[in-house]
Amino acid sequence: MVRGQPTVEQLMPHFIDFLGPRDTILLAHNAPFDLGFLAMALIRLGIAYPPHDVFDTLAMARYLYPTWPSHSLAHVAMRLNVASRAEHRALSDALLVKEVFLAMLRHTPTVGTIADVMRGLQPLTFADAPVCAIDLPAGFEVLSTAMAERCPITITYEHGWQRPTPRMITPRLVLEVHGVAYVIAHCHRSDAERTFRLDRIRECWRA
């Protein structure tokens, strides 16, 4: 679905502009998941974190309705009579998150304003994203040296169902997102920056 579409490098500056003033409210269901990958992209591109607050509608639903058997977006929307199911498409789900948020404000007598929400549930910021730079574990000394010297290496990389294939990369940094380590590197085969999961690198040696 994204083949042939603009890359994250092209879109991220437009996304930052789209956010607008600092008091813009951002919404997400299970916000830490989205924040992690957005923060990784921002770090990779050298763009400062935007200052906006992010309200997690999943955390809000768990706080307001602790006895509900599920707090998935689809279930919360159904219980609030917003929609019968989530379509699992970016735009429709984004609009559904907004409607769920507004419905929670309407249906909860003690919650009528954003200030009321913040009394029970502090919003997140991009600084709360579960992403950090890490040191490489044992066995990746060649990769560590290549990062320090900014020199190319060859790795054998396993990608999904494809057989492990060698490719030349120049690694730049390693970030951990949601407990998974990713190598940010220039891929010489595609002549573009790419992200590689560290646990899928089977071998690495000096190019």
Side-chain angles (χ1 to χ4, degrees), residues 2-202:
V2 298
R3 183 176 298 167
Q5 301 303 311
T7 64
V8 66
E9 291 84 357
Q10 295 168 321
L11 289 177
M12 191 57 74
H14 297 289
F15 172 70
I16 297 299
D17 290 340
F18 169 76
L19 297 183
R22 185 189 184 101
D23 60 354
T24 298
I25 296 171
L26 306 184
L27 303 173
H29 202 75
N30 192 17
F33 179 84
D34 298 284
L35 282 177
F37 291 103
L38 283 170
M40 182 170 71
L42 291 168
I43 292 172
R44 182 165 66 83
L45 298 174
I47 300 175
Y49 285 168
H52 304 77
D53 288 334
V54 183
F55 284 95
D56 184 359
T57 52
L58 173 60
M60 288 177 61
R62 287 172 172 166
Y63 170 73
L64 294 172
Y65 315 112
T67 62
W68 284 6
S70 171
H71 297 93
S72 69
L73 179 59
H75 184 84
V76 172
M78 180 184 67
R79 292 291 292 259
L80 294 173
N81 295 316
V82 172
S84 59
R85 63 185 178 88
E87 296 181 26
H88 300 299
R89 289 295 180 266
L91 180 57
S92 60
D93 279 5
L95 294 172
L96 184 58
V97 168
K98 182 193 74 170
E99 294 303 324
V100 162
F101 177 77
L102 295 176
M104 285 192 286
L105 296 185
R106 291 193 303 268
H107 295 179
T108 308
T110 58
V111 176
T113 67
I114 298 301
D116 294 333
V117 176
M118 294 180 67
R119 290 190 190 98
L121 188 71
Q122 282 296 113
L124 300 171
T125 68
F126 279 80
D128 296 314
V131 54
C132 60
I134 64 168
D135 294 326
L136 286 163
F140 288 94
E141 288 77 15
V142 171
L143 182 58
S144 181
T145 300
M147 287 175 53
E149 298 179 359
R150 298 182 179 275
C151 65
I153 60 172
T154 300
I155 64 172
T156 301
Y157 189 69
E158 188 176 84
H159 181 64
W161 56 268
Q162 299 175 356
R163 295 178 60 184
T165 55
R167 61 183 74 193
M168 184 183 294
I169 66 169
T170 299
R172 191 162 64 85
L173 74 160
V174 180
L175 297 175
E176 185 177 273
V177 185
H178 301 294
V180 178
Y182 296 88
V183 179
I184 313 301
H186 180 82
C187 176
H188 293 258
R189 186 172 71 180
S190 60
D191 193 25
E193 189 165 87
R194 292 287 184 264
T195 302
F196 302 92
R197 278 183 57 144
L198 185 64
D199 59 0
R200 292 180 179 171
I201 296 178
R202 299 294 174 243

